[in-house]
Amino acid sequence: MTYIAKPKLHHPSLPRNDVGFTRRDYEGAISTLCAGCGHDSISAAIVQACFELSIEPHRVAKLSGIGCSSKTPTYFLGASHGFNTVHGRMPSVLTGAYLANRDLIYLGVSGDGDSASIGLGQFAHIMRRGVNMTYMVMNNGVYGLTKGQFSATADKGSKAKKGAVNTDSGIDLASLAILMGASFVARSFSGDKGQLVPLIKAAISHPGPAILDVISPCVAFNNHKGSTRSYDYVREHNATLNRLDVIMGTDPMTADYAPGTSVIIEQPNGERLELHKVAEDYDPSNKAAALSYIQAREEAGMVTTGLLYYDPARRDLHGRLNTTDMPLNQLREDALCPGSAALAQINDGLR
């Protein structure tokens, strides 16, 4: 399949967004993942979200690590910047790229093995540092490339395809992200496009560290009875907190959401999130209450989806470091190398 290219011709009547692109312009190469893989549904949701947001593809930098999930940037936003890093090291490369050029939209793509095992330390630090990015974890609870061993996010008591039972406690990346300082934390399901697309749009629009933990069933190794990451299990145990709509400017984008109360959340960049509450007593701005709710639902065997935590007041890394507004590759030599006098002044200030 890797040698088969998608046709470049588009039907002339395909709908175009505000910057003149069709949805096809946001696609990538043909996927080589297993048929029915949840990761492909997430890729399609990313394509749809970027099309609806009218993002110019060249403004996006997509970075990934190692694993089935980290292959997916090949399958969306083919005209964007891309960098495939080593296992668990995507956050540090993304941080460096962001510090060098704040003008790009950064999308980090990772998996449960990539982020919750070898990359757990880097995952924690990129959250607490406040990097302005969307960090997406395609979470299937197994190592799909190495034949289905439990990953660190696998729930205790869940069963492998051959019957082995996981005896270790699973790492909840959403709760960890809240503790570490992420200012937008959400969880969704790859099979719920109506919820996932608005959450991706909201995360991309959010000016701060945003994480999306997306349950994404592995059809080859983790889609059987006894698995807590299968399509059937998530559908039967999904506890939906809320649904989002992203309002650009003054014209709301319509969506068919479950009935309940609504609240408008103003973002620092002028955009607004309209939160349709399904759980009437849930407050996503209360960190302690959010963590308590997530843990309580987990103990009840439920998968909590929706916007879990939101903090509009947090500044990003550039704001805290007081760095230059201009990308480093656009600075002149005299600004990049101001000379020994400037260096001596810096050193004197550190004594």
Side-chain angles (χ1 to χ4, degrees), residues 153-174:
T153 66
D155 294 320
K156 187 175 183 178
S158 61
K159 292 184 178 180
K161 187 175 182 179
K162 294 186 178 180
V165 177
N166 182 33
T167 57
D168 297 326
S169 297
I171 294 174
D172 183 357
L173 289 174

Side-chain angles (χ1 to χ4, degrees), residues 41 45 188-198 238 240 243 305:
S41 297
S188 192
F189 172 47
S190 64
D192 188 355
K193 185 178 180 180
Q195 181 193 60
L196 180 56
V197 171
N238 187 357
T240 305
R243 298 266 182 168
T305 63

Side-chain angles (χ1 to χ4, degrees), residues 15-233:
R16 296 183 178 273
N17 59 18
D18 293 340
V19 290
F21 290 104
T22 69
R23 188 185 181 282
R24 287 286 310 276
D25 293 318
Y26 293 89
E27 295 178 354
I30 294 177
S31 174
T32 60
L33 298 176
C34 302
C37 178
H39 295 1
D40 283 334
S41 297
I42 300 173
S43 295
I46 294 172
V47 168
Q48 186 65 32
C50 291
F51 169 73
E52 292 183 7
L53 287 173
S54 295
I55 293 174
E56 296 170 307
H58 69 271
R59 294 186 55 231
V60 178
K62 49 185 183 177
L63 298 95
S64 62
I66 296 297
C68 292
S69 58
S70 294
K71 293 172 61 179
T72 62
T74 304
Y75 313 139
F76 61 82
L77 297 176
S80 299
H81 306 281
F83 195 95
N84 183 232
T85 72
V86 296
H87 204 189
R89 303 301 186 262
M90 178 271 289
S92 58
V93 179
L94 190 153
T95 301
Y98 175 63
L99 286 174
N101 188 349
R102 66 166 73 190
D103 288 348
L104 297 176
I105 298 169
Y106 288 91
L107 177 60
V109 181
S110 187
D112 41 299
D114 195 49
S115 285
S117 291
I118 190 171
L120 185 61
Q122 297 220 355
F123 173 86
H125 288 300
I126 198 171
M127 296 300 159
R128 75 180 186 87
R129 287 173 179 147
V131 177
N132 185 6
M133 57 158 189
T134 298
Y135 192 119
M136 184 167 295
V137 180
M138 299 183 183
N139 188 348
N140 56 22
V142 298
Y143 287 94
L145 285 182
T146 52
K147 310 310 179 189
Q149 304 95 324
F150 291 118
S151 80
T153 66
D155 294 320
K156 187 175 183 178
S158 61
K159 292 184 178 180
K161 187 175 182 179
K162 294 186 178 180
V165 177
N166 182 33
T167 57
D168 297 326
S169 297
I171 294 174
D172 183 357
L173 289 174
S175 296
L176 181 60
I178 295 174
L179 286 171
M180 290 294 101
S183 50
F184 182 106
V185 180
R187 178 181 287 126
S188 192
F189 172 47
S190 64
D192 188 355
K193 185 178 180 180
Q195 181 193 60
L196 180 56
V197 171
L199 282 174
I200 295 174
K201 291 167 62 179
I204 292 175
S205 302
H206 177 69
I211 175 175
L212 273 168
D213 178 26
V214 187
I215 305 302
S216 177
C218 173
V219 293
F221 299 108
N222 213 14
N223 193 38
H224 52 271
K225 188 175 181 180
S227 167
T228 59
R229 291 290 187 272
S230 67
Y231 280 107
D232 288 342
Y233 185 91

Side-chain angles (χ1 to χ4, degrees), residues 236-317:
E236 293 169 2
H237 297 81
N238 187 357
T240 305
L241 283 175
N242 43 58
R243 298 266 182 168
L244 277 180
D245 204 1
V246 181
I247 302 174
M248 313 293 289
T250 58
D251 298 324
M253 300 179 69
T254 59
D256 184 16
Y257 289 141
T261 59
S262 299
V263 61
I264 302 293
I265 301 175
E266 297 284 348
Q267 295 206 90
N269 62 357
E271 295 174 359
R272 298 187 296 168
L273 307 180
E274 184 171 0
L275 181 65
H276 304 258
K277 288 189 177 181
V278 177
E280 300 287 348
D281 58 345
Y282 188 78
D283 180 8
S285 64
N286 187 324
K287 179 182 289 190
L291 288 168
S292 177
Y293 189 96
I294 295 169
Q295 294 302 315
R297 302 311 294 164
E298 182 180 339
E299 290 179 5
M302 305 300 290
V303 180
T304 308
T305 63
L307 178 62
L308 306 177
Y309 178 69
Y310 178 78
D311 178 11
R314 184 179 176 86
R315 291 193 306 160
D316 71 3
L317 184 58

